[in-house]
């Protein structure tokens, strides 16, 4: 960041955004400087790197176990990308690749547990269980992603799933979490 600032060189990337926050008007409660500033790119790196690497490893594993899907994906890539520059937009036009990633993430979520803190007392419907305010709640992503209520043959790798979105409580799966604190990087992936 110091080097970028000294060279006054802009790339429109995250470092530029961090410098804009550092040099902009500061909120006295949370100042974008020192460790506070450093924490943001660090959390992006930590949150993004391992999860992406694990996802890719499992996608390759699933494709190796299912050569028929590997062949379909290969043909899709050839048809759309052969002889063209590979860009974010062109990669986003590969629907079967999306299905492969989504299904692999459903079966092998790199973060198999997500957590929240109850903001108020909550009675779990249909039970006598009360989750009290301030209690940490851990949600098993694997249990939801492999629940036969939402996914037929849940342990099978089926990229072209036919469940209707309206029949499911969750669109796709919980691999990127859910709600306002869901994964900020999911659109990059
Ligand atoms: C396939 C790759 C990835 C998977 C499966 C994944 C999964 C997740 C999950 C499950 C969460 C917790 C969400 C929740 O509790 O509801 C999360 C949070 C987060 N992820 Fe990812 N992630 C991936 C890639 C990335 C990348 C590439 C970045 C950064 C560029 C990133 C940055 C973050 C950050 C900053 C959070 C915390 C969000 C918050 O607390 O508001 N992730 N991710």
């Amino acid at each position: 960041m110091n080097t970028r600032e000294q060279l006054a060189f802009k790339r429109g990337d995250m470092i530029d955004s961090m410098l804009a926050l550092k040099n902009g008007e500061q909120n006295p409660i949370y100042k974008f400087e020192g460790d506070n500033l450093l924490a943001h790119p660090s959390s992006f790196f930590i949150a993004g790197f391992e999860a992406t690497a694990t996802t890719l490893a499992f996608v390759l594993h699933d494709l190796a176990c299912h050569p028929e899907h590997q062949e379909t994906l290969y043909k899709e890539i050839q048809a759309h990308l052969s002889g063209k520059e590979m860009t974010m937009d062109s990669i986003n036009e590969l629907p079967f690749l999306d299905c492969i990633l989504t299904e692999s993430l459903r079966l092998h979520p790199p973060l198999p547990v997500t957590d929240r803190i109850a903001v108020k007392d909550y009675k779990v419907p249909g039970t006598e269980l009360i989750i009290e305010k301030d209690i940490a709640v851990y949600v098993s992503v694997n249990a939801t992603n492999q629940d036969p209520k939402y996914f037929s043959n849940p342990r099978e790798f089926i990229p072209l799933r036919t469940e209707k979105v309206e029949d499911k409580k969750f669109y796709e799966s919980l691999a990127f979490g859910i709600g306002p604190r869901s994964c900020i990087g999911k659109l990059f992936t």
Side-chain angles (χ1 to χ4, degrees):
M1 276 192 227
N2 287 345
T3 310
R4 187 73 74 79
E5 201 161 31
Q6 280 156 16
L7 294 175
F9 171 61
K10 284 196 190 305
R11 291 180 58 189
D13 60 9
M14 187 168 180
I15 295 181
D16 282 355
S17 306
M18 290 291 125
L19 288 174
L21 287 167
K22 177 169 97 70
N23 297 326
E25 198 183 329
Q26 295 282 356
N27 178 336
I29 296 171
Y30 187 97
K31 291 193 177 159
F32 279 96
E33 57 188 25
D35 286 351
N36 281 352
L37 190 67
L38 189 64
H40 288 275
S42 308
S43 70
F44 266 65
F45 181 74
I46 294 163
F49 180 76
E50 182 64 35
T52 309
T54 306
T55 301
L56 290 178
F58 275 115
V59 165
L60 293 175
H61 167 81
D62 288 330
L63 288 173
C65 295
H66 296 274
E68 70 285 11
H69 298 318
Q70 194 180 139
E71 186 62 22
T72 310
L73 181 60
Y74 178 75
K75 286 184 180 151
E76 180 179 81
I77 291 170
Q78 286 290 318
H80 283 78
L81 293 184
S82 186
K84 291 187 202 146
E85 192 191 350
M86 202 187 284
T87 62
M88 191 75 182
D89 286 342
S90 63
I91 292 172
N92 281 337
E93 282 163 15
L94 301 174
F96 193 63
L97 177 62
D98 271 355
C99 296
I100 294 278
L101 276 169
T102 304
E103 182 66 348
S104 190
L105 277 165
R106 182 186 69 79
L107 277 174
H108 321 289
L111 280 81
V113 174
T114 187
D115 55 328
R116 294 288 185 273
I117 292 178
V119 290
K120 56 181 181 186
D121 287 0
Y122 176 75
K123 183 170 177 299
V124 179
T127 74
E128 293 307 310
L129 180 66
I130 293 175
I131 298 171
E132 288 169 14
K133 182 175 180 298
D134 295 333
I135 291 285
V137 180
Y138 291 80
V139 179
S140 166
V141 174
N142 270 327
T144 312
N145 283 7
Q146 298 194 21
D147 189 328
K149 264 195 293 184
Y150 309 123
F151 301 96
S152 55
N153 299 316
R155 308 203 59 126
E156 306 272 321
F157 180 76
I158 308 175
L160 293 174
R161 291 199 156 265
T162 52
E163 286 95 342
K164 292 195 210 106
V165 171
E166 55 269 28
D167 290 346
K168 287 193 273 172
K169 283 238 163 82
F170 308 99
Y171 178 63
E172 294 167 356
S173 75
L174 282 187
F176 289 106
I178 198 164
R181 297 306 297 262
S182 66
C183 177
I184 207 168
K186 67 183 161 193
L187 294 180
F188 300 134
T189 314

